């Protein structure tokens, strides 16, 4: 995997899959907390579907995740920091426009990038809902960042809250660095996203059983012109549902070409 040096000297990994030229605008994917590009986008078939649709696809391993550097210092993290990483990658690749998708924590990062970087021309979020509106990020009604961090670091599984268990399993599956991931969660950067600054076509995708994406209609309503599509699944499974993949690829294709045959269904 190629790497680049971000604004603060950290080395971050990314992957590029070249499309067949049908679409001028690449798609950049930002994965969720504790995952990496392989687990969030390649394994569920999202990258394959976007390539089949003709897109060039870029997936970034966020700092603390995947093949990127994993400092244990909380000051090296935060949504704004991760958003700057995305913009630096766009500089590195020389892109002047991109469609951007993010899932879970990556969705909050993507929203922040879209509010500040004019090179984002189309946006899709997954795995988030009214928590972004009410708390500026992760829905703390399900579990606070500190609770999740403690659960990841706990030696005894019996001490782990039920809501944290899926993240522990994910960390083990991808071989994540729990100290780095705890630092991600404990970062003091909690700046609220200015949703009114997002003016590009936006798709909100939410699993019907995803507690972390509850009331997604409120997030869609807070972004001018945003569309909402609900798909089967919970926080861990919705991204792999064929309806999620089809809606994402169709939305980006329609935004890029204006071909009405590629438009997604009406908002839910």
């Amino acid at each position: 995997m190629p790497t680049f040096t971000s604004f603060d000297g950290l080395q971050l990994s990314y992957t590029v899959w070249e499309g067949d030229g049908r679409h001028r605008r690449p798609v950049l994917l930002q994965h969720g907390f504790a995952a990496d590009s392989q687990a969030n986008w390649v394994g569920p078939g999202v990258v394959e579907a976007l390539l089949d649709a003709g897109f060039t696809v870029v997936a970034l391993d966020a700092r603390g995740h995947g093949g990127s550097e994993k400092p244990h210092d909380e000051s090296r993290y935060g949504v704004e920091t991760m958003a700057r990483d995305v913009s630096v990658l766009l500089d590195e690749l020389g892109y002047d426009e991109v469609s951007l998708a993010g899932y879970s924590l990556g969705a909050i990062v993507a929203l922040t990038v879209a509010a500040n970087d004019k090179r984002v021309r189309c946006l899709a979020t997954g795995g988030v809902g009214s928590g972004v509106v009410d708390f500026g990020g992760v829905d703390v009604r399900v579990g606070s960042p500190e609770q999740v961090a403690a659960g990841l670091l706990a030696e005894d599984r019996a001490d782990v809250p039920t809501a944290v268990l899926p993240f522990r399993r994910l960390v083990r599956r991808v071989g994540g660095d729990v100290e780095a991931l705890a630092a991600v969660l404990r970062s003091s950067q909690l700046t609220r996203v200015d949703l009114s600054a997002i003016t590009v076509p936006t798709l909100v995708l939410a699993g019907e059983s995803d507690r972390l994406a509850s009331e997604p209609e409120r997030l869609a309503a807070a972004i001018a012109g945003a569309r909402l599509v609900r798909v089967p699944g919970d926080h861990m499974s919705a991204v792999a549902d064929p309806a999620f993949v089809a809606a994402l690829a169709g939305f980006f294709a329609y935004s890029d070409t204006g071909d009405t045959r590629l438009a997604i269904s009406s908002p839910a």
Side-chain angles (χ1 to χ4, degrees), residues 7 9 48 75 94 104 144 156 179 239 252 266-267:
F7 67 94
E48 181 180 10
S75 69
S104 192
S144 72
D156 189 344
E179 294 288 347
V239 68
F252 282 160
S266 299

Side-chain angles (χ1 to χ4, degrees), residues 14 25 44-45 58 61 88 100 113 130 165 168 171 177 187 196 216 232:
Y14 67 97
R25 187 185 301 151
V58 182
D61 277 353
V88 174
L100 177 61
V113 178
S130 61
L165 290 174
R168 273 178 66 103
V171 171
D177 182 328
S187 169
S196 68

Side-chain angles (χ1 to χ4, degrees), residues 28 30 41 99-103 106-107 110-111 114 120 122-126 200-205 244 247-248 251-252:
L28 196 157
Q30 182 64 77
W41 303 119
S99 294
L100 177 61
Y103 196 82
L111 287 162
V120 177
C122 186
L123 173 68
T125 69
V200 297
T202 299
L203 174 65
V204 175
L205 288 157
F244 182 103
L248 183 68
F251 181 70
F252 282 160

Side-chain angles (χ1 to χ4, degrees), residues 31-218:
H31 63 78
F33 173 73
D36 56 20
S37 298
Q38 176 69 36
N40 204 145
W41 303 119
V42 178
V46 176
V47 170
E48 181 180 10
L50 292 170
L51 288 172
D52 287 346
F55 288 102
T56 290
V57 182
V58 182
L60 170 64
D61 277 353
R63 55 179 62 210
H65 299 73
S68 294
E69 283 195 77
K70 303 174 181 65
H72 294 174
D73 181 353
E74 297 170 22
S75 69
R76 305 299 296 276
Y77 296 102
V79 168
E80 289 191 338
T81 295
M82 292 180 173
R84 288 184 68 182
D85 291 337
V86 173
S87 292
V88 174
L89 177 56
L90 295 181
D91 294 339
E92 174 78 12
L93 296 172
Y95 291 161
D96 58 9
E97 61 176 337
V98 68
S99 294
L100 177 61
Y103 196 82
S104 192
L105 174 60
I108 302 166
V109 172
L111 287 162
T112 303
V113 178
N116 293 282
D117 194 321
K118 299 304 181 185
R119 290 173 292 186
V120 177
R121 304 294 176 82
C122 186
L123 173 68
T125 69
V128 291
S130 61
V132 178
V133 179
D134 294 338
F135 308 108
V138 174
D139 195 332
V140 298
R141 292 167 293 203
V142 178
S144 72
E146 184 57 43
Q147 288 173 324
V148 178
L152 292 182
L153 294 169
E155 294 185 8
D156 189 344
R157 188 176 183 275
D159 296 331
V160 181
T162 302
V164 181
L165 290 174
F167 291 102
R168 273 178 66 103
R169 289 192 289 267
L170 177 59
V171 171
R172 291 185 178 182
R173 178 161 63 89
V174 303
D177 182 328
V178 291
E179 294 288 347
L181 294 171
V184 172
L185 290 166
R186 291 169 171 162
S187 169
S188 60
Q189 286 193 34
L190 296 173
T191 304
R192 188 177 292 270
V193 181
D194 182 7
L195 298 176
S196 68
I198 299 174
T199 58
V200 297
T202 299
L203 174 65
V204 175
L205 288 157
E208 294 171 343
S209 304
D210 186 352
R211 295 176 62 204
L212 286 168
S214 64
E215 300 179 299
E217 65 277 2
R218 291 182 54 211

